Amino acid sequence: MYDVIVIGGGASGMMAAGRAAALGKKVLLLEKNKHLGEKLKISGGGRCNITNAELDQRAFLPAYGTAEPFLYSTFSQFGVADTFSFFESQKLPLVVEARKRAFPHTQNASDVLAALEAYMKQGGVTVSRGAAVTRVEATEGHIEAVYCGAKVFSAQAYVCATGSLSHPETGSTGDGFHWLAKLGHTIHKPTPTIVPLSVHDAWSKLLSGTSLSFMKITFYVDGEKQFSKTGKLLFTHFGLSGPLILNSAKKVADLLHRGVVTATIDAYPHTDLGSLEKNIISVFDANKNKVLKNVVKECVPLGTHRGVLLLLGEELAAKKIHLVTKEERKKIVRLLKALPLTIDGLMGFDRAVVADGGVPLEEVDMKTMRSRKIDNLFITGDLLHINRPSGGYSLQLCWTTGFVAGSHA
Ligand SMILES: Cc1cc2nc3c(=O)[nH]c(=O)nc-3n(C[C@H](O)[C@H](O)[C@H](O)COP(=O)(O)OP(=O)(O)OC[C@H]3O[C@@H](n4cnc5c(N)ncnc54)[C@H](O)[C@@H]3O)c2cc1C
């Protein structure tokens, strides 16, 4: 008999197990994969954006939108500063990069996993890998046992940390949502929220792999302007990604219900049309006898010339610079301020960083992470219905909810 059984060895489950064990509990962690923390290892492109270094809780928590008021009591027990101290205590200091994103100083997500595994080992957590929980047995608002096939495990308290639905190949296949629904919880339908966009425009495909900082994207529904955002953009073989896109996706999802969604990219948001034209004129003056397609590289952001040439058309691209008319030059300038795209949709769960949906916070005592439906169940991490931007906010939720669940389980 264990004191605590944690189901799911992702970020929040490992934190919960380690914390409960540090408080002297006999803990079993059940993980269905052969390895722990598969999603953690791909987080932040393998660098793992552990948290966001905004130490002022009142400035940090509004990033979670409507969940903010629920989170003060949880974060007062384990906040951003505690995340820094925790990883430091595990000999993995963090470094802070642009937009306050904090990473392990080794820039390697596997070291974050190793730190959590060490934390669990220090407390003597029993880790069972390849142990998929197939059934949760409960009577009258109380879990009696969990089953891994024919094997039965019991404990006084259970932490459900099975994650949501993004990147299901990492093990997050939504199992917890099924049990929680059966146990009486409401489950808001998960949808991919921090997710790349799919576009089919041929010019953008030519830019696959190109990453551009300080781009401004503006979205339209049926030609009517909706909203703009500036940031870093990544062209991929399926469309658009990067923080600018990931953090626009939720709003774009709403727009897609209303009509045809198009977008324009301003490649020089800090330069007005007149100044941009002047820059191009000076490039043209220095290259009068060259063909436009051989000069265009000097007029556009690095890595984009092939896409821009496709948009300009073969005839114009083949013209000698001194034959380019004023109107054609203005067309180039206008294009660089509004590269056109049609948004086909959001990519699916397989490419989503985060899916929203899950258990509404009203059904969880956020001081303890205890379910309000089941008296010996604690719920953590991506299972909770909390919207958040990219930039370390998801993992911070895992550290906080995992720690608090482990403290009270
Ligand atoms: C590509 C990508 C990049 C990301 N980058 C960042 C980032 O840089 N910063 C950030 O803050 N967030 C990032 N995130 C989000 C972050 O990784 C997640 O929010 C976090 O890992 C969720 O942790 P979790 O503990 O809730 O669940 P998960 O990590 O999903 O873990 C759930 C675990 O439960 C196990 N499990 C599921 N069902 C069962 C079962 N039936 N029995 C036993 N075990 C089971 C799974 O195998 C899995 O190991 C990223 C996500 C993705 C997909």
Side-chain angles (χ1 to χ4, degrees):
M1 176 85 168
Y2 290 91
D3 295 320
V4 180
I5 290 179
V6 177
I7 313 171
S12 69
M14 287 188 280
M15 178 57 104
R19 172 64 179 163
L23 294 177
K25 300 286 181 189
K26 192 175 172 207
V27 182
L28 170 67
L29 182 134
L30 298 170
E31 166 54 52
K32 74 172 167 189
N33 288 332
K34 284 201 183 108
H35 304 284
L36 300 173
E38 290 290 5
K39 185 172 285 177
L40 193 59
K41 281 193 276 182
I42 60 165
S43 289
R47 295 200 301 135
C48 196
N49 182 186
I50 283 186
T51 185
N52 190 281
E54 174 54 73
L55 299 178
D56 176 358
Q57 216 110 283
R58 296 211 164 266
F60 182 80
L61 292 181
Y64 296 109
T66 52
E68 177 194 352
F70 292 90
L71 293 172
Y72 282 94
S73 59
T74 336
F75 272 74
S76 68
Q77 297 172 64
F78 194 92
V80 174
D82 300 304
T83 300
F84 273 78
S85 313
F86 171 79
F87 284 102
E88 186 125 356
S89 74
Q90 295 300 318
K91 302 191 174 47
L92 190 64
L94 309 187
V95 291
V96 180
E97 298 189 3
R99 288 177 282 119
K100 298 193 179 177
R101 291 169 309 142
F103 294 85
H105 77 111
T106 57
Q107 304 281 318
N108 191 342
S110 295
D111 294 329
V112 180
L113 172 59
L116 289 161
E117 288 189 290
Y119 181 49
M120 291 195 294
K121 203 170 172 191
Q122 287 150 25
V125 175
T126 304
V127 177
S128 186
R129 297 173 176 82
V133 172
T134 47
R135 190 155 76 87
V136 174
E137 191 178 84
T139 46
E140 292 172 15
H142 191 84
I143 296 181
E144 306 292 350
V146 294
Y147 289 74
C148 292
K151 284 190 187 161
V152 192
F153 300 96
S154 303
Q156 274 158 13
Y158 297 81
V159 177
C160 193
T162 47
S164 181
L165 284 167
S166 69
H167 279 260
E169 79 285 1
T170 62
S172 321
T173 46
D175 301 12
F177 290 141
H178 300 299
W179 308 322
L180 291 168
K182 275 195 183 156
L183 294 170
H185 274 289
T186 311
I187 305 295
H188 290 312
K189 189 170 179 273
T191 50
T193 46
I194 303 185
V195 62
L197 299 178
S198 133
V199 303
H200 62 258
D201 304 72
W203 73 268
S204 77
K205 303 272 155 141
L206 289 175
L207 271 54
S208 176
T210 304
S211 167
L212 300 168
S213 296
F214 309 116
M215 297 286 113
K216 179 175 166 189
I217 191 160
T218 303
F219 292 94
Y220 304 81
V221 174
D222 297 333
E224 201 176 306
K225 187 174 165 180
Q226 302 297 317
F227 73 96
S228 299
K229 246 183 196 310
T230 306
K232 190 171 173 182
L233 181 87
L234 172 69
F235 289 91
T236 69
H237 64 281
F238 53 75
L240 301 173
S241 190
L244 172 61
I245 298 305
L246 296 173
N247 289 325
S248 303
K250 191 167 165 49
K251 271 187 168 178
V252 173
D254 296 337
L255 302 184
L256 284 160
H257 291 298
R258 289 174 32 206
V260 176
V261 180
T262 52
T264 55
I265 295 171
D266 183 347
Y268 293 98
H270 304 300
T271 312
D272 61 33
L273 282 166
S275 309
L276 191 57
E277 189 171 7
K278 269 191 203 148
N279 296 346
I280 289 182
I281 290 172
S282 66
V283 174
F284 280 12
D285 283 349
N287 295 280
K288 280 192 176 113
N289 290 316
K290 290 192 184 157
V291 173
L292 178 60
K293 69 176 166 206
N294 295 332
V295 175
V296 95
K297 246 185 189 174
E298 295 179 43
C299 307
V300 301
L302 190 66
T304 62
H305 64 283
R306 291 202 309 137
V308 172
L309 280 171
L310 189 73
L311 286 167
L312 290 176
E314 272 178 35
E315 199 183 324
L316 179 52
K319 262 192 170 179
K320 286 251 171 113
I321 294 287
H322 69 269
L323 295 175
V324 174
T325 65
K326 187 175 166 192
E327 195 36 52
E328 286 167 335
R329 193 179 66 219
K330 286 193 182 297
K331 177 182 164 184
I332 299 171
V333 175
R334 282 197 300 271
L335 191 61
L336 292 176
K337 295 289 284 176
L339 294 157
L341 291 160
T342 302
I343 310 297
D344 294 337
L346 269 58
M347 296 302 290
F349 285 114
D350 54 336
R351 296 206 187 261
V353 173
V354 164
D356 72 352
V359 179
L361 302 189
E362 291 83 356
E363 295 185 6
V364 178
D365 171 9
M366 298 301 287
K367 282 192 205 79
T368 59
M369 303 317 298
R370 187 194 299 270
S371 156
R372 292 194 193 277
K373 308 274 176 189
I374 302 286
D375 64 8
N376 61 345
L377 173 65
F378 297 77
I379 303 170
T380 64
D382 280 3
L383 284 170
L384 300 159
H385 178 49
I386 302 177
N387 279 315
R388 65 268 184 184
S390 72
Y393 293 92
S394 297
L395 283 173
Q396 181 57 54
L397 270 182
C398 291
W399 314 135
T400 298
T401 57
F403 183 92
V404 171
S407 301
H408 298 277

